[in-house]
Amino acid sequence: MVTVANFYAGKTVLITGSTGFVGKVLLEKIVRDLPDVTRIFLIIRGNAKERFEEDIMQSRIWDFCKSKMGEAEFNAYIHSKVTPIGGDLSKEGLGLSSEDYQTVVDQVNIIIHCAASIDFRERLDKAISSNLYASLNMLDLSKRLKNVVAYVHCSTAYVNSNREGWLDEELPVLDFNPEEMVDLIMKQDIQTLERITPNLLGAYPNTYTFTKAITERILALKRGDIPMCFLRPTIVGGSLKEPVPGWVDSIAAIGAVMLYCGVGLVQFMKGDGRMVADIVPVDHVANALITSAVAIGNQNVLKIHQIGTSHRNPVAWNRISHYVTEYWRNHTPKKSIARSQFSFHGSTIMYEAHFFMRYGVPSALLNVLSSLTGSEDTKTKAEGFKKMTRAARLICDTFKHFTGHEWVFSVTSLEKVYQDLLDGEDRVKFNCDAAEINWQSYFCYFCFGLHKYVMKEEGVRPPTELLNTSIITKSDVNQSGFFQWVFADISWASTSYRHVTQTPLPPRAPTEIRSLVMNSPRVQQAMEKVSREEGVLVSEIEKRANQIMERMQSNLNVSVVRVLGWFLKKVWRKIYQGIHVDEKGIELIREAIKKSPVVLIPTHRSYIDFLIISYIFFEYNLPLPHIAAGEDFLSIIIVRWFFRNAGAFFLRRTFHGDSLYWAIFSEYVQRLVIDNQPMEFFIEGKRSRTGKSLHPKMGLLSMVCQPFFENRVQDVHIVPIGISYEKVLEGELYSNEMMGESKTKESFNGLLRASKVLKMNFGRINVVFTPPISVKQYSEEKSAEISSLRRLNPSPYTTGSSNNNNTTSEPSTIKPIVNTNSANISEGDFETQTSKPDTRSTGTYFDPFNNDDDRRLLIQDLGYQVVRDLNKSAIITTTSAVATILLSFRRGINREELISKVEWLREEIFARGGDVAFEGPSDALVDHSLKLLSNLVSKRKNMYEPGSAQLGVTNKNYRKNVLVLNFYRNQLLHLFLWDGLVSLVILSILQSRSTADSQSSSSSSSSTINTNNVSTTNLNTVDQQTLITEVRFLAKVLSQEFVNQPGYDTDEFIIKEINRMASRGIISKEVGSNALPSYGVKSEGACGFYANLFYPLVEGYMAGILTLFSIQPEMCIKKNQFLQRMSWFSEKMFEEGKLNFYESCSMEILSNSVQLFEQMKVVERKKLEEVVGKRTTRSTSSNKKPQKQQNQRKPAPEEYIQLLPPYQDKDGLLKELAERLSKYKKSPQSKHQINDLRRTVVEDFPLLSSKL
């Protein structure tokens, strides 16, 4: 093995063509990775030193080196290594001075000759001079070198382009004597030469490839004993990795086509899009040039190395055009003249006709118009269009030979060098393995490089792999021919999903699954039990069970899926600009499916969630998942049939007490898992109407994990999937529900009315697949972790859902709700069949396989992990960022400031580990978002504000617009949770302290914020203990709004978050004489912004607490009635200016507040079947005979709430809680204001409470 660095150590290298594209990358690579090279000589035409400084040193190719070394140190280093010398390679003696020539002869060991004329249309005699004579002069120099080690000549793989198909690494086959041909060419006059050139070229497409072929043959004849290598790259494109992905600084070759496609100048080309292209990254070429010298060092050999991609990683022209147009459509250049699109015409007639209609007719009309009007402006436009037409024709004619023919270039010789000569480290450092190229990512970065380094547009950001392509048009790259072009979607739907990734077990027929479920011991025992309880024959129960199974079961039919796929593709194109998928995640799922059952758990923000995953799996040839859907869809004719045949199975909203349904459903779900069939359900249970993640519901998660814990499968893989929408279809419906209106029932008529959305633009969808979670691995890791903790701390271990606090304890001891026993199927939780007591001795091992409590604890932990992964995978959209800024500046913000604030917010999101769908210039992104939100935003006098704001805050449209904007803002709220709470506490305490100072000394002692440990040395800071206590209090109050693992809010965790804010300069940190830190505001703008994000939530909960004062002691009220009154009262407070934010009146916040009060033991919830007057008709007798159960399910019991004794004294704990929380309102209210509000509540609700 040879180390490349050792080979080059102590040697001097001569490079030609260093001002060109390949030469710059080669020079940068040697400077960066071969520091032991003694010196590098560069032969540069003209004023060498001046061109070196302007063309090379000022190039952005050195950005990485400068950032790593520092600009001054880098400049000193490169000037000590690199020596530019003036010359002209086509002249005798290379045009060097005698001193420079002798220096080169004495010192140079390795020559890398990259200089060439790459003008495909250059006159033949000039091409001979540039390509042949320059190379012969370099060969003559190499023979004069005192210590020549290697001569690498950069040629082109298309020296054999006079042939087609497979091309080995051999000298070009010519049907003429190359030296005689050169003599013939150089003897002709210019006119004669131009006339005979097409005949001389023969099958060669241009003078460049022709003269390069001649050069290789003549160099081979005249080589002598010089160690020589011809390196033949194919079409050279932007860099893959080095110096940065996508680096390019010229618009030659394929880069010109891509750039002109981006600006809309070239939209079609003659050729066959199905043919294989051969584009090689420029950094691969540079690496191959360096390693080729190693392969021939000090050997009397001539080697030929080809470097391309068609051999190991072929890519068709259709795919390239698709990737390129997708990038430019998502990142439209400012200089574009038309929308980016590209196609190929195999027919010359079709191509010429299209060219004539696209360019010829408009050009002729402009010429006629300019002649008739005589307008200088029209003449300028006509002349400009004529130039554009010539440029388009030139590009198309130059490349038509390469798009109309196909070659596969062997790279065997170069691969052999890497395998036989280089060690593992050098193979990575000087990599040129085409198999590692992801074409989708490569062409996106190539276009980005053209956009940034060639067009030099400001604000262009690197593309993310997630957003490289859209699956809406992904399949279009495989369509060719007139019939497929016209019926592309039908062709796609009928030919896709043919080579599906296989699961370990083949899928069963629905009838077989039904038989296995109905005959399972679980279901049989349930039927016998129900038969005994109801006193009916088992045969009757079997009929009922069959009805349940028939109503529930899916009936996956691929033919129906094809029809649905065709329909959805049409719909997607109409309403979405793109559906962007994380393809790396797709491949991880593909591998997981081959091993074990896979359970997909997407976020749930829209009904589209039910369709999008199956569509993606159909597109990528993955087994279609069985989807858990509510029975609501069964009421929609046609839709239910399509859903069922697309893999949906249906479950009731609730089956509390129905043991037969429970047994059938759980057995069916577990049967799908055991049969290794992919399954999909939503752990949040229902669509989030607020944009925030909902608490995980553990029922279905427990079910799908059960077969693993029962050793019926070896493993189960859980795949959290983040789906983010730039604009949701249901935005208006969500706002109606948040305003207290009833949920719109699913119906066929509603579906027809919703067809108006086909005329709307909903932006993009981003789908991110997180790495699959192995339940086996997760269980092993958690078992080891918790068992270790138990051995260290042998006290009885309780789950996070335990709450042993006294009901009279201080409200700051709230525990997060972990409801694992709800029977509401819409929330995904299921009651357990049995509840075994925990009989373990203290300090025992954690055993989820044999202990029910341990299993519940593990499932709960896994559920929270899934939601954390969902939050991490969620892409923050530009609409979310724009909505956040608009809600922070409700009185209006101009476009420039909006753009600036969005850019700032983007960086803040990145700093917190968020992923942002920000690509392209910021102004274009903001304009795009404002267009999507145009129905929610109004513009007055160049100021943007929430829509209908000019009509007043009482206007219904304004309120709806605020709620929908709040939906988008909530998508990023979890990233700023701790920054917001810390900022809110500090600002509120300092403001309260300032208010107290301005009042009399008698009133200053009545502050109700817990400030027992407030430092008296600095009134502008808050001591650490107070800050921790109050932050924890607010975190507990908002525990229903944000999903966090129970027990997460330790002192250490909160201190870590506080210190992180201090280190980022958001808050200040001071250490007093007592060595205890205290904190104050350092960045007022940032703290105010973070706090503003959470004021609406605090005010919503405050309104909820105040409404509790209306409940009379020892009286119950219906929960729904209480929520309606709570909504009415909060809106009244908003209208009177006592609430600052209308989103505080959201029904979701108010409903969550009731759950919080129940958890805090402020209220208790009771379920009663029916109430007549003050008496209930529910029987408590246990002596009644069993009655036959009807198939009709009984209505759910009515829910009532009642204040618990500790809070029935309105001047006691309830008042303290209200006063404490009110201090964190944006405009803190004093005690007398709270008392006034309490009296208002009681006066406004005289009949709210009713006694049982």
Side-chain angles (χ1 to χ4, degrees), residues 1225-1243:
K1225 184 176 176 293
K1226 187 169 186 180
S1227 300
Q1229 293 174 326
S1230 61
K1231 277 189 173 182
H1232 73 270
Q1233 290 175 315
I1234 294 295
N1235 290 332
D1236 290 343
L1237 282 173
R1238 288 170 53 204
R1239 285 193 292 271
T1240 302
V1241 171
V1242 177
E1243 291 171 0

Side-chain angles (χ1 to χ4, degrees), residues 698-719:
M698 309 300 180
L700 263 173
L701 182 62
S702 178
M703 279 188 181
V704 298
C705 293
Q706 195 77 6
F708 168 72
F709 292 115
E710 293 177 353
N711 294 311
R712 302 175 74 182
V713 294
Q714 293 183 348
D715 197 1
V716 176
H717 279 90
I718 309 294
V719 185

Side-chain angles (χ1 to χ4, degrees), residues 1178-1233:
R1178 183 179 61 176
S1179 173
T1180 58
S1181 173
S1182 59
N1183 298 324
K1184 286 191 175 183
K1185 294 181 180 180
Q1187 297 180 357
K1188 183 176 180 179
Q1189 180 178 330
Q1190 302 299 318
N1191 287 338
Q1192 291 83 5
R1193 296 188 297 275
K1194 295 180 180 180
E1198 188 75 56
E1199 289 188 346
Y1200 287 73
I1201 62 173
Q1202 180 181 21
L1203 281 173
L1204 287 170
Y1207 291 89
Q1208 290 178 1
D1209 180 4
K1210 305 300 176 63
D1211 291 320
L1213 291 176
L1214 189 58
K1215 177 184 176 182
E1216 291 180 11
L1217 180 61
E1219 289 178 347
R1220 184 175 186 184
L1221 185 59
S1222 70
K1223 293 299 179 180
Y1224 297 106
K1225 184 176 176 293
K1226 187 169 186 180
S1227 300
Q1229 293 174 326
S1230 61
K1231 277 189 173 182
H1232 73 270
Q1233 290 175 315

Side-chain angles (χ1 to χ4, degrees), residues 4-14 30 34 36-40 81 107-110 147-150 297-298:
V4 175
N6 290 340
F7 176 83
Y8 278 88
K11 295 182 175 64
T12 298
V13 181
L14 172 64
I30 293 176
L34 297 174
D36 293 330
V37 168
T38 301
R39 182 164 291 279
I40 305 169
K81 285 283 184 181
Q107 298 183 19
V108 168
N109 310 112
I110 300 170
N147 186 17
V148 61
V149 175
N298 294 313

Side-chain angles (χ1 to χ4, degrees), residues 735-741 956 959-960 963 1142 1147:
S735 65
N736 291 338
E737 291 182 39
M738 293 303 98
M739 294 177 73
E741 298 181 16
K956 187 175 182 180
R959 296 181 175 188
K960 283 187 175 183
L963 288 174
Y1142 181 73
M1147 286 299 298

Side-chain angles (χ1 to χ4, degrees), residues 1105-1144:
I1105 291 176
L1106 290 175
T1107 314
L1108 291 177
F1109 285 95
S1110 67
I1111 303 178
Q1112 299 303 316
E1114 300 181 0
M1115 289 188 179
C1116 291
I1117 61 172
K1118 291 182 179 180
K1119 180 183 176 183
N1120 287 339
Q1121 183 184 359
F1122 180 70
L1123 285 173
Q1124 291 170 6
R1125 296 290 183 164
M1126 187 184 286
S1127 175
W1128 178 85
F1129 179 65
S1130 61
E1131 290 197 8
K1132 182 178 180 181
M1133 291 180 66
F1134 175 73
E1135 291 168 1
E1136 294 177 355
K1138 295 169 183 174
L1139 291 182
N1140 296 289
F1141 309 95
Y1142 181 73
E1143 56 267 39
S1144 302

Side-chain angles (χ1 to χ4, degrees), residues 426-523:
D426 279 344
R427 288 175 201 159
V428 174
K429 183 179 289 187
F430 300 94
N431 178 44
C432 60
D433 184 3
E436 296 182 4
I437 300 174
N438 179 316
W439 288 117
Q440 179 182 346
S441 175
Y442 173 75
F443 282 107
C444 279
Y445 272 101
F446 192 174
C447 291
F448 162 73
L450 292 168
H451 204 174
K452 181 176 181 179
Y453 301 115
V454 177
M455 300 184 75
K456 298 181 180 178
E457 287 195 4
E458 295 296 327
V460 181
R461 299 186 180 89
T464 62
E465 292 187 7
L466 169 67
L467 302 179
N468 283 340
T469 191
S470 167
I471 62 171
I472 295 178
T473 54
K474 177 178 181 292
S475 56
D476 294 350
V477 301
N478 299 317
Q479 307 299 337
S480 59
F482 178 77
F483 179 83
Q484 287 186 317
W485 177 67
V486 174
F487 301 100
D489 292 343
I490 296 176
S491 174
W492 166 78
S494 60
T495 58
S496 297
Y497 206 68
R498 297 293 183 185
H499 306 286
V500 183
T501 301
Q502 296 300 311
T503 58
L505 295 174
R508 298 182 190 271
T511 53
E512 185 179 1
I513 292 177
R514 176 180 297 188
S515 176
L516 288 170
V517 171
M518 300 306 293
N519 292 305
S520 67
R522 188 199 313 265
V523 174

